[in-house]
Amino acid sequence: MDTKPEINAVENSILDGSRFVRACLRKPVDRTPVWFLRQAGRYMQEYRDVRKHHTLVEICKQPDLAAEVTITAAEKLGVDAAIIFADLLLPLEPMGLDFEFLAGEGPVVHHPVRTAEDVKALRVDRAADLDYVAKAISKVAAHFKDRLGIIGFCGAPYTLASYMIEGGGSRNYIETKKLMYGNTSAWQSLLDKIVAVLTEYCLQQVQAGADVIQIFDSWVGSLSLSDYRQYAFEASKRLVRAVQAMGVPVIYFGVETAGLLNDMAGTGADVIGLDWHQPLDEGWRSVGYNHAVQGNLDPITLFAPVEILEQRVKEVLRAANGRPGHIFNLGHGIVPGTPVENVQAVVKMVREFRLQEASL
């Protein structure tokens, strides 16, 4: 069946799209678009009120609640994009891995994947069970229409594999690397299964109205460059290209990735997210100017006095130097306890920034 006309229609609509989507495609914009990683979270009272009655996973699985949390945060902050409220680990459940969030410990996968038999047991035929995320996106898209960019997301293959194998977060990723080095066949099979599920999951999100998909490689900074090239790059590239074939741009983001940026750009992602460990202009040179970039204010700067906060915001914007393709964001997510008024102040600073005035 020929789907090309449908994809072209999506592409044409993107070219006329929001400020955020245009920046993803390195198109001219009237000002730098801004949004924040984890912009709906515990730092915001409205979210804490919802959490009094629902767990994180319950919010994710109830489209009305997930849409409400997403919309409330985007409107309160006045940002240019709304990222759907969901969690990286949601695809684990239809693959056959139960998990929960334990207070003080974060996510816990009860039966980690440690052997080739464990990998073989993982399912790839139940991605449709994740349709609650698409339903939430549909509600958010209907609410904002063309006013904001709508971001869907998923975890990257390496990062999801790490969670599956470690059983949660990790400091050294010992079990992950033991499987990666010791049973390359099982490792490759695991990544193949993850890519298959994520591809269907992302398609659901795009069909529901997501303008862009962000792929979070949260733990990829645990890899050396050689290991990234040998064990993670191809799977990420396949996922990036599969999503782009759906007619939307892709943002690819990781933390502690300064030494990986050039290779991450090799996936072909339209936008590379930069963490805060290096100046934005250095990161952009590593990525190459044929890619847009997103970032990269240190999230903890949001606790600083407003004068320092303004200095750091302007440093990031000056480093971008007005080049098309910069999306202002943090170099990671907003942390609990962040003053909401400081987040709102950053949005105002970005909106009002003019490169000519800043250089006077």
Side-chain angles (χ1 to χ4, degrees):
M1 185 173 134
D2 186 2
T3 59
K4 193 170 181 182
E6 185 178 330
I7 291 174
N8 287 340
V10 175
E11 289 173 346
N12 290 337
S13 68
I14 284 173
L15 294 177
D16 298 323
S18 67
R19 179 184 295 115
F20 164 72
V21 175
R22 291 182 66 82
C24 288
L25 297 168
R26 295 183 296 117
K27 302 293 182 183
V29 291
D30 56 338
R31 64 165 176 80
T32 303
V34 53
W35 71 281
F36 300 96
L37 300 170
R38 213 178 291 141
Q39 62 191 18
R42 285 173 289 171
Y43 76 103
M44 195 172 278
Q45 183 62 47
E46 291 85 347
Y47 175 74
R48 292 199 300 273
D49 290 343
V50 175
R51 280 299 304 272
K52 288 176 185 176
H53 308 286
H54 302 280
T55 67
L56 185 151
V57 174
E58 285 173 348
I59 297 171
C60 294
K61 289 188 173 183
Q62 297 184 45
D64 286 342
L65 278 179
E68 174 193 335
V69 168
T70 302
I71 291 165
T72 299
E75 290 187 334
K76 181 161 186 170
L77 299 177
V79 289
D80 294 297
I83 185 166
I84 194 63
F85 186 88
D87 190 82
L88 292 185
L89 299 190
L90 296 178
L92 270 60
E93 194 172 59
M95 294 184 74
L97 294 178
D98 292 330
F99 67 93
E100 65 178 323
F101 289 86
L102 300 181
E105 294 184 42
V108 175
V109 179
H110 293 297
H111 300 287
V113 174
R114 297 286 170 84
T115 67
E117 290 71 27
D118 292 336
V119 173
K120 187 176 181 181
L122 293 172
R123 298 182 61 168
V124 295
D125 60 340
R126 292 175 49 204
D129 292 356
L130 297 165
D131 66 342
Y132 52 84
V133 176
K135 289 176 180 175
I137 287 175
S138 181
K139 292 176 181 295
V140 174
H143 177 85
F144 285 118
K145 297 183 169 60
D146 296 327
R147 289 186 289 137
L148 297 187
I150 309 299
I151 307 171
F153 75 88
C154 68
Y158 173 78
T159 289
L160 281 191
S162 298
Y163 270 117
M164 290 176 169
I165 297 167
E166 298 294 337
S170 176
R171 182 179 295 272
N172 297 307
Y173 301 90
I174 293 170
E175 296 299 331
T176 300
K177 294 184 180 183
K178 279 166 61 177
L179 182 65
M180 189 175 80
Y181 296 140
N183 194 332
T184 304
S185 170
W187 174 256
Q188 187 59 56
S189 178
L190 175 58
L191 294 185
D192 289 344
K193 288 190 169 190
I194 292 171
V195 170
V197 172
L198 293 181
T199 299
E200 186 173 343
Y201 180 41
C202 289
L203 180 60
Q204 294 169 14
Q205 297 183 53
V206 171
Q207 290 175 335
D211 299 308
V212 175
I213 296 292
Q214 173 149 318
I215 297 172
F216 284 88
D217 219 347
S218 307
W219 306 133
V220 74
S222 66
L223 292 176
S224 69
L225 179 57
S226 294
D227 284 348
Y228 177 71
R229 288 172 174 170
Q230 185 168 349
Y231 298 109
F233 171 79
E234 286 297 335
S236 288
K237 179 180 175 181
R238 277 192 289 134
L239 180 60
V240 166
R241 301 301 171 92
V243 175
Q244 288 172 327
M246 301 168 196
V248 298
V250 172
I251 305 170
Y252 183 29
F253 170 76
V255 184
E256 298 183 354
T257 55
L260 306 178
L261 287 176
N262 183 261
D263 283 73
M264 289 174 69
T267 61
D270 303 271
V271 187
I272 302 296
L274 305 176
D275 68 23
W276 70 97
H277 295 293
Q278 63 181 328
L280 182 131
D281 51 347
E282 290 183 14
W284 208 340
R285 279 196 297 272
S286 297
V287 166
Y289 297 126
N290 57 329
H291 297 269
V293 294
Q294 179 174 276
N296 67 336
L297 184 71
D298 179 351
I300 309 307
T301 311
L302 291 168
F303 289 86
V306 69
E307 315 83 62
I308 294 176
L309 185 54
E310 186 168 16
Q311 288 174 18
R312 296 296 179 260
V313 168
K314 287 183 175 179
E315 281 177 11
V316 172
L317 291 165
R318 288 192 193 108
N321 199 33
R323 180 177 287 108
H326 176 224
I327 300 154
F328 190 95
N329 208 312
L330 305 178
H332 204 322
I334 297 176
V335 304
T338 298
V340 176
E341 60 272 19
N342 284 9
V343 185
Q344 293 169 319
V346 169
V347 174
K348 188 171 186 288
M349 292 170 194
V350 176
R351 282 181 164 178
E352 296 177 351
F353 179 83
R354 297 295 179 270
L355 187 63
Q356 296 82 357
E357 296 171 15
S359 59
L360 295 178

